[in-house]
Amino acid sequence: MDELLKKLEDDYVKAVKNNESKSIEEFIEQFLYDSWTYNEQNMQNIKIVLSRYTSGEIFQETLSESFNIMVDHLRVRLEQLDQEMHYPVLHSKHGASLLVAFVDGLVLQYYIGTYSADKLRELTPYLKSIILQGLKTEGDL
């Protein structure tokens, strides 16, 4: 595996494990703040990994496997925090991936200059509210 991709994966897993929040609400908020800070500090490494993927130095299967490992750790942690199932989406097959998609979409907007990291931090309470409301959606995916 690409060494830099492995570092990003390890950092992500470590951040999820080190988030000591005791509720989904606290976890989501901390996850958002951690995401803005991490991406701000590591954007160059993320760009390098994505460039290696685009050029074929990192295979799709490798990147996909790494992403799935990260999302699986997140899924387990979220399910642990929501044992009473107040947030049904988190217990679906795609729940953690949907959360990551939302956050990564904002990170992409940070990357292209739509939002600064400071603006994302400022928006975090509102973003947390939107995410939590969405996670309450009933139904199967």
Side-chain angles (χ1 to χ4, degrees):
M1 174 186 278
D2 182 89
E3 192 174 310
L4 191 51
L5 174 58
K6 181 64 174 151
K7 180 193 179 322
L8 295 174
E9 177 187 312
D10 290 346
D11 288 350
Y12 188 93
V13 170
K14 182 180 174 184
V16 169
K17 288 183 177 183
N18 288 343
N19 184 328
E20 297 179 359
S21 300
K22 302 295 184 213
S23 69
I24 289 293
E25 297 81 6
E26 290 175 7
F27 184 91
I28 297 292
E29 182 173 23
Q30 189 62 51
F31 183 76
L32 291 171
Y33 284 122
D34 289 347
S35 293
W36 314 146
T37 300
Y38 186 82
N39 281 280
E40 183 178 38
Q41 294 172 351
N42 292 279
M43 187 53 68
Q44 191 58 38
N45 289 340
I46 295 166
K47 288 179 188 179
I48 290 169
V49 166
L50 292 176
S51 174
R52 289 178 182 165
Y53 170 71
T54 302
S55 70
E57 293 175 59
I58 297 175
F59 296 114
Q60 185 274 329
E61 298 84 13
T62 303
L63 189 61
S64 179
E65 180 181 330
S66 183
F67 180 81
N68 288 335
I69 288 168
M70 292 184 273
V71 171
D72 284 345
H73 280 280
L74 179 62
R75 180 189 50 75
V76 167
R77 183 73 174 113
L78 292 169
E79 288 177 356
Q80 290 170 344
L81 289 171
D82 189 38
Q83 293 181 11
E84 296 174 8
M85 300 185 80
H86 293 294
Y87 299 97
V89 173
L90 295 179
H91 302 274
S92 71
K93 180 179 177 183
H94 303 287
S97 180
L98 291 170
L99 173 60
V100 170
F102 185 86
V103 173
D104 284 354
L106 291 165
V107 168
L108 176 62
Q109 291 181 57
Y110 160 74
Y111 173 71
I112 63 172
T114 303
Y115 294 109
S116 66
D118 287 337
K119 184 62 175 177
L120 289 171
R121 287 183 193 94
E122 179 185 322
L123 289 171
T124 293
Y126 179 66
L127 297 170
K128 177 181 108 174
S129 178
I130 291 169
I131 291 168
L132 291 173
Q133 190 62 39
L135 295 175
K136 290 180 181 178
T137 303
E138 297 282 342
D140 293 328
L141 290 175

